[in-house]
Amino acid sequence: DMGFGRYLPNWTAIYCFLFAMLAVRWRLPLTLLVTLTFGWLTGSRNFALALGVVGMGYLLFPIWQWVLSKTSRTIVLYLFFAGFALYVLEQITNGHWAGIYLFDERILKFHADPIRMKWDMLGIHEWTQNLASFVWGVGDWPNAAPNPHHSLIHTLLERGIVATGILIIFIINDLRKHARGMEPWLLGWFSLGMYLHLNFVTMFWVIAILILRCRYIRNGVEVQEDAL
């Protein structure tokens, strides 16, 4: 409870996902099991979605390795993720697509969310209301106000197209450059911000960069690529 009078599981789930990434990077299976268990107990649907994307990433591992081998392709992939996530939310919210309900568990119930869709549209409206806000953003958006639950929209709203473009190039270039063997987890991290206001100007992205920069050492020798 962050003071809003209700339980907010997603922030705990973000830390659980980051610890899971670190556990995979350092090959700590017990730590991975614990963090995944804690993430499941949060009941965060974003956590479940991110793990599903990780699983799909391993199924198509060679493809994602090729895509993430260049910054330009990775940026295009992230922008596709951002647009597709908004499109899916719109289709489900408007009733064009049915939601997904698995095993009667909250963490696996993906249904219409009119409020979240409304907040995302509000963020786009505020960002594009004039040329100044489009280019430079509107500044720090109040936490108590309706926040766009979309990492890209939230960053554009606060920082504008110029700063956001620079941040995307810098952050994604650094992430993909050190993600060798961790490509599925990087995809999961991207998807985690599609329905959360996990904007680029937060410590979460710095922590993700630091985790991917960590290397696995075996017998005093740095291992360049993680095992699947």
Side-chain angles (χ1 to χ4, degrees):
D1 186 349
M2 298 176 65
F4 298 103
R6 62 189 181 90
Y7 175 52
L8 302 174
N10 287 313
W11 299 113
T12 304
I14 291 172
Y15 283 113
C16 288
F17 191 86
L18 287 170
F19 274 113
M21 288 176 63
L22 184 61
V24 173
R25 174 58 99 188
W26 283 354
R27 301 179 185 177
L28 303 172
L30 182 58
T31 303
L32 177 62
L33 178 61
V34 171
T35 54
L36 292 180
T37 302
F38 283 170
W40 177 270
L41 292 176
T42 65
S44 169
R45 288 165 292 188
N46 289 289
F47 185 80
L49 178 63
L51 288 185
V53 172
V54 171
M56 293 298 295
Y58 278 117
L59 289 176
L60 303 172
F61 186 77
I63 296 176
W64 301 125
Q65 259 196 330
W66 176 80
V67 172
L68 272 64
S69 64
K70 284 190 175 294
T71 301
S72 57
R73 287 197 291 257
T74 308
I75 291 174
V76 170
L77 176 65
Y78 178 81
L79 295 177
F80 173 78
F81 266 31
F84 184 70
L86 196 61
Y87 174 75
V88 169
L89 179 62
E90 180 184 24
Q91 295 303 307
I92 294 178
T93 301
N94 292 337
H96 299 154
W97 292 357
I100 299 175
Y101 304 87
L102 301 174
F103 308 114
D104 199 30
E105 293 283 347
R106 181 192 184 277
I107 196 172
L108 297 175
K109 291 181 179 179
F110 302 95
H111 53 75
D113 196 339
I115 296 299
R116 188 162 296 188
M117 187 68 197
K118 179 180 178 181
W119 289 351
D120 287 349
M121 292 298 101
L122 174 65
I124 294 175
H125 177 266
E126 292 295 323
W127 168 50
T128 59
Q129 63 180 333
N130 55 60
L131 183 60
S133 62
F134 177 79
V135 176
W136 305 113
V138 300
D140 293 336
W141 191 253
N143 287 329
N147 283 287
H149 279 51
H150 192 287
S151 59
L152 181 58
I153 295 175
H154 198 166
T155 310
L156 288 168
L157 169 64
E158 292 191 340
R159 307 303 167 194
I161 190 72
V162 174
T164 302
I166 294 172
L167 285 169
I168 285 179
I169 294 172
F170 171 76
I171 292 175
I172 290 185
N173 177 65
D174 200 279
L175 285 171
R176 72 96 200 155
K177 187 166 56 177
H178 298 95
R180 185 71 175 174
M182 292 283 290
E183 287 87 352
W185 289 91
L186 181 55
L187 295 176
W189 175 250
F190 286 164
S191 70
L192 198 60
M194 294 298 104
Y195 299 109
L196 286 174
H197 45 104
L198 192 62
N199 72 75
F200 295 142
V201 192
T202 61
M203 281 303 297
F204 294 115
W205 288 90
V206 177
I207 294 171
I209 289 174
L210 292 176
I211 288 173
L212 291 182
R213 279 176 171 264
C214 291
R215 305 308 304 171
Y216 179 72
I217 305 296
R218 175 186 292 164
N219 298 326
V221 179
E222 182 180 291
V223 178
Q224 290 295 330
E225 183 175 355
D226 294 281
L228 294 181

